[in-house]
Amino acid sequence: MTRQDLEQIYYLKLDIKRIEARIAEKRSIAESSTQVLSLTAGAGGSSDAKSKQERFIDKANDDFIKLNKRQEELRCKVRQAEEFIDTVADPRMRCILEYRCIKNLQWSDVATRLGGHNTSDSVRKAYNRFMDNLPKK
């Protein structure tokens, strides 16, 4: 696990949500378009309309497959990063990593959530020391 991998968790989760929205939007468009194409094809029985419907459905299926594949790849990366954080021995560092990498909190908010005598500078420095010891890509 690298620093870059950990620092992307929050944005990967945003990307997953964006893809979920795209899938829902495409599904809605596909369903309504398929109904319209079905009515058109059924009314006149035109083979051209049926062919158009089949191409549309094939394209929609390809889009769904690509989006679902990308979404699963992102989920896998997030799982790997979260599992890595769970293996960190120091509970304070696990909290810092969760608050900063997963929840994308500001350093002052990380320090506040940790409590005690933690300051934004102290948690940022601890984070940077930890990250400096991770392998480079």
Side-chain angles (χ1 to χ4, degrees):
M1 188 63 46
T2 66
R3 180 181 194 135
Q4 183 180 4
D5 294 333
L6 289 172
E7 290 178 342
Q8 289 182 352
I9 298 172
Y10 178 79
Y11 299 101
L12 292 175
K13 285 184 166 190
L14 288 179
D15 209 18
I16 290 168
K17 288 179 183 176
R18 183 186 58 79
I19 290 171
E20 286 172 355
R22 284 183 62 197
I23 289 171
E25 179 184 336
K26 285 187 175 282
R27 182 170 286 126
S28 175
I29 291 169
E31 288 171 357
S32 63
S33 298
T34 303
Q35 290 171 358
V36 169
L37 287 171
S38 293
L39 291 173
T40 305
S46 165
S47 63
D48 185 43
K50 287 181 183 178
S51 175
K52 198 181 253 188
Q53 179 183 11
E54 289 169 357
R55 285 193 309 269
F56 180 82
I57 290 170
D58 288 344
K59 173 76 171 103
N61 285 336
D62 288 345
D63 289 348
F64 288 130
I65 289 168
K66 288 176 187 174
L67 286 171
N68 283 323
K69 182 179 177 186
R70 180 66 181 144
Q71 188 178 40
E72 188 51 41
E73 290 169 357
L74 294 174
R75 284 186 174 140
C76 183
K77 286 182 179 183
V78 169
R79 271 193 305 275
Q80 289 172 346
E82 289 175 340
E83 288 170 2
F84 173 79
I85 290 171
D86 289 342
T87 66
V88 173
D90 180 5
R92 177 176 177 259
M93 184 51 62
R94 278 196 309 272
C95 290
I96 292 171
L97 291 170
E98 178 184 340
Y99 295 148
R100 184 64 180 181
C101 297
I102 296 175
K103 297 185 177 178
N104 200 35
L105 296 180
Q106 298 295 316
W107 290 120
S108 58
D109 296 327
V110 173
T112 300
R113 289 206 181 182
L114 286 174
H117 297 291
N118 290 292
T119 65
S120 57
D121 284 340
S122 70
V123 294
R124 179 182 48 80
K125 287 177 183 179
Y127 173 88
N128 285 330
R129 280 191 299 272
F130 178 83
M131 291 297 196
D132 288 344
N133 289 321
L134 291 178
K136 309 287 186 251
K137 252 192 177 177

